[in-house]
Amino acid sequence: MPTTTASAVCTTVGNNILLRLTSGERDVKLKALRELKNQIIGNRTKKLSFLKLGAVPAVAGILSDAVSAVDVADNDENDRIVKDIIVQSAAVLGSFACGFEAGVRAVLDAGADILIQRGCLVEEMPLLKSYMEVVDAGARSLKMIYQSKMAPKYDFLQEENMEFLLSLLNNESENVSGLGASIISHSCKTSLEQKLLFDAGVLKRLTSLLGGSLIQRDASLESIATIFKNNPEVVSQFVGPDTGRTLSCIIEIVKDRFARTRLLASLCLIVIRNASPCYLQDVGIKTKLINNLLELLDDPGRVGDEASFAFSSLIAEKEDMQKLAFEVNGVDKLYNHLQKGSLHPRRFEGILLALADMCSKLECCRSRCLSLQVLKLVVDALAHDSSDVRSAACMCLRSVSRSIKNLSAGSFMNETIVIPLVRLLDDTSTAVQVAALGAISNIVVDFTTRRSTFIRLGGVKLLVQLSKSMDSTIRLNALRALRNLIFLAEDKCKEEIFMELTASLLASLICDPEPSVQEQALALVRNLVDGRINSVEYIFAEDGIILDAVGRQLRIASKAEIEIQGMYVLGNVATGKESHKEAVMDQLLLRAENKAQSCIIKFLQSNDSRLRTAAVWAVLNLTCSSSPGSSGRLVKLHDAGIVSHVKNMVNDPCLDVKLRVKTALEQFNSFDDSLASTSCLQFLTVRAVGELSHVVDPSSKEEESIANYFRFSMKKNKKKKSTRTVKFCFDVPADSL
């Protein structure tokens, strides 16, 4: 006889159980429910098999019939059987929903969540309420459902819902009160809901549960963190003189003997500190939190998987916390876990993200990572099967590559790193593509001549391809990478990049529907036309389509960042030939439709000092005294009212603007007396600023550091002193110089 397959056996058993669930005898149904529960507990494969056989709707129907039969039960024995059927039905439905999203969907589609709540927990069921097994079974099942993101959102705005929630929290059963806490953790998302729960006294009840059982304590900590999250108002009302004891209690729970409880207490304190940094300033408490989370990484289970994410939320964007973490050997401890190999993807992702946050601001952390050769493990992770791990590896690489010292040494522009990164540009995951672009944006700011490596490996082709993506986030990050790649690039490198981009594509990106993409496209052009005269020529390709696009955006843009980049583009072009300068004049003096004044006057009057600075720079480069046509342009600027506006800015509140205006006035005065009497007033002589082809955005400290580095390098190499400064988009403060 042929051997029966395991699948066939499972189907046969399943059909037999389902057949007995339809029996008219309650005892038969009850036994079938118990057998079904035992079959599916902890077994995803069997859960799926029974789902396909339609077990969930069948069990939901049994639960509905049992709830309806409560009031008509004619004797104690029938009452007991009905009660047991309700308990077992709820348990089966909860088991289907436990950690199994397909099961949750099936339970919700069958309306079983409502049945469980009505049949097991409502006050109108006095007979059932006398059976705590029913209540506990219903509460446990609903808790499993509410652990899923697919569970319905609880409406706290309805008064009867809030009353029901409070009744759950006030119930003596740890499962019932735990259910109330789970509902809060799942459904409380807005500041209004947080305030409603606080005003209803929910926090007071939750804090009282901190002294209860382990289940109550853990559920309470999770719910408290949910109500506090990003809500400084609620935190300040809670962490007051009357409730300081509760805060101290949470701090003490961080030392609890149960790992999950310690993690939840830590998360609660992190949420409080992130919402209101004025609290928990004690260095001892902060160090205790850091050490606790690093120790929890040793937990082999889910707590260890989640500890690194909590660690990241504690130190992210906080230099003081990163410094404390470094002092307790945080980098070394994270590295030790990475070395273990065969990590669960969730744990692997979390450790990489934790390292990324540690290296985001401090050069000492980056240096330690490099000395430990963490980079090798990070590069290996770029090829991991999990897209989340690949994305986290890119983020880690981006943070480590924020070091100017190592960028200038060419530490990252090698095939070992570049090849896997370029491959990720074609990844099936959009998140991975964006993360890879972020890493590439740093790495291509290479201070050596190794850009050719990236180009040779096809990086530019892929970046240009991604700049055409339908996803605006990908377009934005691709342009940012191209912008940095072209920063201070050699003429040959610029030519290769421009041939891939084309003038028509650049012009279309400058006019992209997304303002952020427009800004990056203009910044790319700004770096493209920085440098020698032949670089300026790029903007005049294809009958000046790029220059026209820049001018058009300047006349219609409403976002200051776009206007700033556009003005710096024109300022760079204005360092070129006479024809280049005249083309800039035409764009600046051209008025938009229904506009009473030219765009440059609008920019000189802007409330944004960065835009005023950019506008004055353009005027400076148009009127440098070494250019033969400067006097004529000065007359035009005077007639357009621009010179008078510049003069009125002599006492500008921004020091940078004030200095540029002073230079402009001195430069105007370098022309002969006859022009001065006709066009200007009295001026002083000053050096020409024709070499100022590119300028630093004064609001960007990292770019100022880069500019200083290059000025230092030029002096060190005994080159002719230059006044040229530079602009590129380095994504974080460069603090290693």
Side-chain angles (χ1 to χ4, degrees), residues 211-273:
S213 68
L214 178 63
I215 291 176
Q216 290 174 321
R217 187 162 66 247
D218 286 359
S220 177
L221 286 168
E222 196 168 1
S223 297
I224 290 172
T226 300
I227 297 174
F228 283 159
K229 190 173 183 179
N230 300 324
N231 196 323
E233 181 184 355
V234 171
V235 170
S236 62
Q237 291 184 53
F238 176 80
V239 188
D242 297 333
T243 51
R245 184 180 301 175
T246 302
L247 183 59
S248 299
C249 176
I250 297 175
I251 294 172
E252 282 300 309
I253 295 176
V254 170
K255 297 184 291 187
D256 195 273
R257 65 192 180 96
F258 293 103
R260 174 170 164 76
T261 304
R262 294 205 308 274
L263 175 63
L264 291 172
S266 298
L267 284 169
C268 198
L269 294 177
I270 291 168
V271 166
I272 291 173
R273 188 174 189 278

Side-chain angles (χ1 to χ4, degrees), residues 335-510:
Y335 170 64
N336 290 338
H337 284 281
L338 276 185
Q339 279 189 306
K340 293 178 180 178
S342 301
L343 295 173
H344 186 279
R346 176 70 174 172
R347 186 177 295 239
F348 200 176
E349 176 197 1
I351 293 172
L352 289 170
L353 291 177
L355 279 170
D357 281 315
M358 280 207 69
C359 296
S360 63
K361 291 183 178 294
L362 298 180
E363 183 63 17
C364 57
C365 292
R366 298 170 197 145
S367 297
R368 186 58 183 159
C369 275
L370 292 173
S371 66
L372 290 170
Q373 296 187 328
V374 173
L375 208 56
K376 183 182 183 304
L377 297 174
V378 174
V379 171
D380 290 343
L382 294 174
H384 198 276
D385 291 339
S386 167
S387 61
D388 290 333
V389 172
R390 296 197 300 274
S391 180
C394 290
M395 294 178 189
C396 187
L397 186 55
R398 182 187 66 186
S399 288
V400 176
S401 64
R402 286 170 174 172
S403 167
I404 299 175
K405 179 176 65 177
N406 290 291
L407 280 172
S408 63
S411 301
F412 304 101
M413 190 61 84
N414 60 71
E415 293 190 4
T416 304
I417 295 174
V418 173
I419 289 176
L421 272 179
V422 169
R423 285 176 183 159
L424 291 182
L425 293 179
D426 203 26
D427 198 275
T428 54
S429 166
T430 299
V432 173
Q433 286 180 305
V434 172
L437 287 167
I440 288 171
S441 291
N442 279 1
I443 288 172
V444 294
V445 183
D446 188 79
F447 300 142
T448 67
T449 58
R450 300 183 185 177
R451 284 184 173 91
S452 58
T453 302
F454 185 79
I455 297 173
R456 176 171 52 81
L457 294 170
V460 172
K461 289 181 181 292
L462 284 170
L463 289 179
V464 172
Q465 181 180 331
L466 292 175
S467 73
K468 305 173 188 177
S469 170
M470 296 297 291
D471 189 317
S472 62
T473 304
I474 291 180
R475 291 201 306 276
L476 171 70
N477 285 278
L479 284 172
R480 182 177 285 121
L482 285 166
R483 168 186 180 172
N484 286 358
L485 179 63
I486 215 165
F487 160 65
L488 286 187
E490 295 178 336
D491 291 346
K492 183 180 178 181
C493 180
K494 282 188 177 183
E495 184 179 356
E496 291 184 49
I497 296 171
F498 186 73
M499 286 177 63
E500 288 290 339
L501 273 168
T502 73
S504 56
L505 176 58
L506 270 177
S508 67
L509 288 168
I510 289 170

Side-chain angles (χ1 to χ4, degrees), residues 64 93 129 140 148 152 220 287 312 314 342 352 402 407 412 445 472 486 510-511 546 560 576 631 636 670:
S64 178
L93 293 169
K129 295 298 286 187
R140 281 195 300 269
S148 168
S220 177
T287 304
S312 286
L314 175 63
S342 301
L352 289 170
R402 286 170 174 172
L407 280 172
F412 304 101
V445 183
S472 62
I486 215 165
I510 289 170
C511 300
I546 300 175
S631 59
K636 291 179 182 179
S670 66

Side-chain angles (χ1 to χ4, degrees), residues 107-207:
V107 169
L108 295 176
D109 288 344
D113 56 320
I114 299 173
L115 279 172
I116 294 171
Q117 180 175 323
R118 183 170 63 88
C120 303
L121 297 168
V122 295
E123 298 291 343
E124 285 77 15
M125 307 293 287
L127 180 62
L128 291 180
K129 295 298 286 187
S130 64
Y131 295 111
M132 280 311 298
E133 301 102 313
V134 171
V135 176
D136 279 343
R140 281 195 300 269
S141 295
L142 286 176
K143 275 179 65 178
M144 293 174 187
I145 294 171
Y146 273 101
Q147 286 172 357
S148 168
K149 293 180 180 179
M150 298 172 65
K153 191 175 185 301
Y154 195 83
D155 187 359
F156 300 107
L157 299 178
Q158 294 188 24
E159 185 177 350
E160 60 272 22
N161 283 358
M162 185 66 80
E163 290 176 356
F164 179 67
L165 176 65
L166 288 170
S167 72
L168 294 178
L169 293 174
N170 289 320
N171 195 286
E172 294 180 0
S173 166
E174 63 178 23
N175 285 317
V176 177
S177 58
L179 168 62
S182 296
I183 290 173
I184 294 170
S185 300
H186 171 79
S187 299
C188 181
K189 302 297 182 185
T190 68
S191 58
L192 174 60
E193 290 170 333
Q194 291 169 325
K195 186 70 166 58
L196 283 172
L197 290 170
F198 180 81
D199 291 342
V202 168
L203 265 178
K204 290 183 179 180
R205 177 54 185 158
L206 288 173
T207 54

